[in-house]
Amino acid sequence: MVANISILIVDDEESVRDSLFNWFIEDGYQVDRAENAKQALSILESKDFDIILADIKMPGMDGLEMHRRIKAFNKNSIVIIMTAFASVSTAVQALKDGAYDYITKPFDPDDLSHLIRNAANQIALVSENESLKRKVVALENVEDLIGRSKPMIKVLKEVERVAQSNSPVIITGESGTGKELIARAVHSNSQRKFFPLVSVHCGALTESLLESELFGHEKGAFTGAMFNRKGRFEMADGGTIFLDEIATISTKMQIELLRVLETKKLVRVGGNKEIESDFRVICATNKDLKKMVNNGTFREDLFYRLNVVNIHIPPLRDRIEDIPLLVDYFITKYCTSMSRGIISIDKAVLHRLETYPFPGNVRELENMIERAIVVGNGKEIRKKDLPFEEDSITNHTESLEDLEKKYILQILSKYDWNISRSAKVLKVDRVTLYNKIKKYDLKRKKK
């Protein structure tokens, strides 16, 4: 990836330009140099750079003015400001104007290397998102699948790939993560999209009712069976059957289901005629089916029959960068359905949402936004419109240190362990943040 990243170094000090040039060349980047802002702008007229590393103080035109001019015609380049300690406040102004970050002279090699690497990762992610967006345009029924985080990009790619086959799919994930949406997206993008998608909530039905729902029944099969009735497997002929909460079905139903999956033939309750149906099966569960197999509560043969492909949806707390997108989407959705003018959300409230653990996942977030729009009466969602403040306080049994540790870890994860950015969000200096990391023995999760 590094070989594809280009860097332009702009500094009037030759020694700085040369040392950075040699440094980045050794690391494999494509590098060019300019001794002032005017020369840099001239180079940029004919060539784009991914990262522009610019000093603030330069003769003729300073780095801030150069940054503003660059952003006027090239919004894609990442600009990092180099500054002396004495002009940090000026560099902060650059951040407000849209610079990616700043670094103080003299450089800490690790800090500079980490900063450039993070910028390169962001460029790669943006590129990947753009590529994904182009692909998503080709996907159907994915308008509710919101996300730009790496875990969600991975899920969307899996949906695209899996949709092209007829293999059984198990969708796993915590309650509220959107398993049914994924099932619909797989069906809508498959060759079966012109046939029905039939959903069955297995956990909501008793064994006898589930059997009748899945296989249908003949007139007189039981009290109340006044007519012949098709089951869901028959209704799904040519299309897809989605079995939600598959882990809740009884041992008897597991045997029946296995037989139907293997033969694609079924017999209605009270009947004796075999009926063929061509369906694809997609299941969903928030349970660990492998663990259930090991403890004998779920049949091993059925598990392997269903678990040809597994799509796992990450919990919302593992993709907090998706929260602003989801909030915007739900605000638009409910303002439109309630015929309200589009409202905004207070930045502090959005920040609170980004640090809330969301045990109920996306469904909980959606309910929060819907409630806020129903009870709020202004043009902005405020703290008082959301219920989490009271709940989070009354439900917490953790110590203050536990909460601080968790909060710091969330922020570090969100900003890919960029110490400078995380410290700014936490409103502490770098030294304090380093001390907290050491105190709580926080470790970066391996990817």
Side-chain angles (χ1 to χ4, degrees):
M1 183 186 72
V2 166
N4 298 322
I5 299 295
S6 55
I7 302 174
L8 176 63
I9 302 162
V10 191
D11 198 306
D12 59 323
E13 291 185 57
E14 185 177 2
S15 59
V16 173
R17 290 198 306 273
D18 291 346
S19 60
L20 289 176
F21 179 84
N22 294 329
W23 191 355
F24 291 133
I25 286 289
E26 286 180 8
D27 282 348
Y29 294 99
Q30 302 171 32
V31 194
D32 208 337
R33 292 166 284 191
E35 61 184 37
N36 54 49
K38 185 178 177 183
Q39 186 180 35
L41 292 172
S42 176
I43 293 173
L44 288 167
E45 285 180 2
S46 57
K47 183 179 178 183
D48 291 330
F49 286 83
D50 297 308
I51 300 171
I52 299 166
L53 195 58
D55 193 21
I56 279 189
K57 289 190 176 180
M58 292 184 288
M61 183 190 302
D62 65 21
L64 297 183
E65 177 59 24
M66 186 188 75
H67 169 237
R68 282 192 283 272
R69 295 195 185 191
I70 290 172
K71 285 300 173 187
F73 66 84
N74 183 353
K75 296 184 183 302
N76 295 323
S77 293
I78 282 179
V79 177
I80 297 173
I81 298 295
M82 297 184 286
T83 182
F85 279 110
S87 57
V88 165
S89 59
T90 313
V92 170
Q93 181 57 49
L95 295 186
K96 292 178 181 175
D97 290 342
Y100 176 74
D101 209 336
Y102 69 87
I103 188 161
T104 52
K105 294 179 179 178
F107 305 120
D108 178 319
D110 289 338
D111 280 354
L112 180 57
S113 178
H114 189 67
L115 187 58
I116 295 296
R117 202 162 51 243
N118 280 339
N121 287 338
Q122 178 168 314
I123 291 164
L125 185 59
V126 169
S127 174
E128 191 175 13
N129 278 345
E130 290 300 319
S131 172
L132 181 66
K133 283 178 185 175
R134 288 192 291 273
K135 290 180 180 177
V136 166
V137 170
L139 292 176
E140 296 180 26
N141 201 29
V142 294
E143 63 271 22
D144 289 338
L145 297 177
I146 309 296
R148 64 183 173 192
S149 62
K150 285 184 178 177
M152 276 309 290
I153 289 172
K154 179 172 180 283
V155 167
L156 289 172
K157 286 181 176 177
E158 287 174 341
V159 168
E160 181 185 33
R161 187 174 65 252
V162 167
Q164 305 310 312
S165 75
N166 273 319
S167 300
V169 180
I170 285 187
I171 303 169
T172 54
E174 295 179 8
S175 295
T177 50
K179 294 187 285 294
E180 184 165 359
L181 287 178
I182 295 295
R184 289 185 180 281
V186 171
H187 171 77
S188 297
N189 290 279
S190 73
Q191 294 180 347
R192 295 177 177 271
K193 65 182 178 181
F194 300 110
F195 295 89
L197 168 64
V198 179
S199 298
V200 184
H201 194 296
C202 300
L205 301 169
T206 63
E207 181 179 287
S208 58
L209 280 176
L210 181 60
E211 183 178 24
S212 176
E213 279 295 320
L214 290 178
F215 308 124
H217 60 252
E218 295 289 333
K219 179 181 177 182
F222 49 82
T223 304
M226 301 176 66
F227 306 98
N228 292 343
R229 185 174 185 274
K230 282 186 175 181
R232 301 296 180 97
F233 278 113
E234 280 186 78
M235 295 178 190
D237 188 23
T240 304
I241 185 165
F242 173 56
L243 304 176
D244 199 4
E245 294 197 21
I246 187 68
T248 62
I249 66 173
S250 67
T251 304
K252 179 187 174 218
M253 284 304 300
Q254 290 177 32
I255 297 170
E256 292 290 325
L257 182 57
L258 179 63
R259 188 181 65 79
V260 172
L261 291 176
E262 289 184 338
T263 64
K264 294 290 178 78
K265 295 177 182 176
L266 56 102
V267 178
R268 290 178 182 169
V269 176
N272 52 26
K273 177 184 173 185
E274 283 193 331
I275 300 169
E276 292 189 9
S277 179
D278 173 29
F279 57 84
R280 179 187 198 176
V281 64
I282 300 176
C283 300
T285 180
N286 57 9
K287 305 291 185 188
D288 185 343
L289 284 184
K290 184 65 179 173
K291 189 175 179 181
M292 292 180 68
V293 169
N294 292 337
N295 64 30
T297 54
F298 200 86
R299 290 182 65 93
E300 185 176 23
D301 45 8
L302 178 58
F303 171 72
Y304 287 112
R305 170 63 64 180
L306 294 172
N307 193 40
V308 176
V309 178
N310 173 222
I311 298 177
H312 180 71
I313 310 175
L316 190 54
R317 62 181 172 277
D318 287 349
R319 52 185 188 103
I320 54 178
E321 59 266 54
D322 290 339
I323 289 177
L325 288 178
L326 287 161
V327 167
D328 282 347
Y329 175 76
F330 292 135
I331 286 176
T332 303
K333 176 180 176 179
Y334 287 105
C335 283
T336 303
S337 67
M338 296 178 198
S339 299
R340 295 269 305 269
I342 299 297
I343 62 176
S344 60
I345 185 166
D346 180 84
K347 285 185 178 177
V349 177
L350 180 60
H351 181 67
R352 179 69 182 89
L353 289 171
E354 289 176 312
T355 54
Y356 179 69
F358 282 106
N361 290 295
V362 179
R363 184 185 296 136
E364 182 181 6
L365 174 62
E366 180 172 2
N367 291 343
M368 276 187 176
I369 299 301
E370 182 181 5
R371 176 189 184 279
I373 293 172
V374 170
V375 303
N377 53 13
K379 293 187 178 300
E380 189 176 63
I381 295 176
R382 297 175 182 275
K383 258 183 193 174
K384 62 182 176 57
D385 302 326
L386 295 170
F388 56 68
E389 288 293 340
E390 296 76 12
D391 292 344
S392 61
I393 291 171
T394 54
N395 290 337
H396 273 313
T397 57
E398 298 167 292
S399 68
L400 185 59
E401 286 199 338
D402 287 339
L403 291 171
E404 184 182 56
K405 177 182 176 182
K406 189 179 292 182
Y407 181 57
I408 291 173
L409 191 57
Q410 283 181 345
I411 296 301
L412 286 167
S413 300
K414 178 180 179 182
Y415 293 100
D416 197 24
W417 282 71
N418 183 314
I419 301 299
S420 298
R421 289 207 152 204
S422 299
K424 282 173 199 160
V425 173
L426 293 166
K427 297 183 178 174
V428 297
D429 57 40
R430 291 187 186 190
V431 175
T432 302
L433 180 53
Y434 276 122
N435 287 337
K436 294 286 185 185
I437 291 171
K438 186 177 179 182
K439 175 185 175 183
Y440 294 127
D441 192 27
L442 301 178
K443 306 287 186 190
R444 189 173 189 169
K445 193 184 288 184
K446 291 182 180 178
K447 295 181 179 179

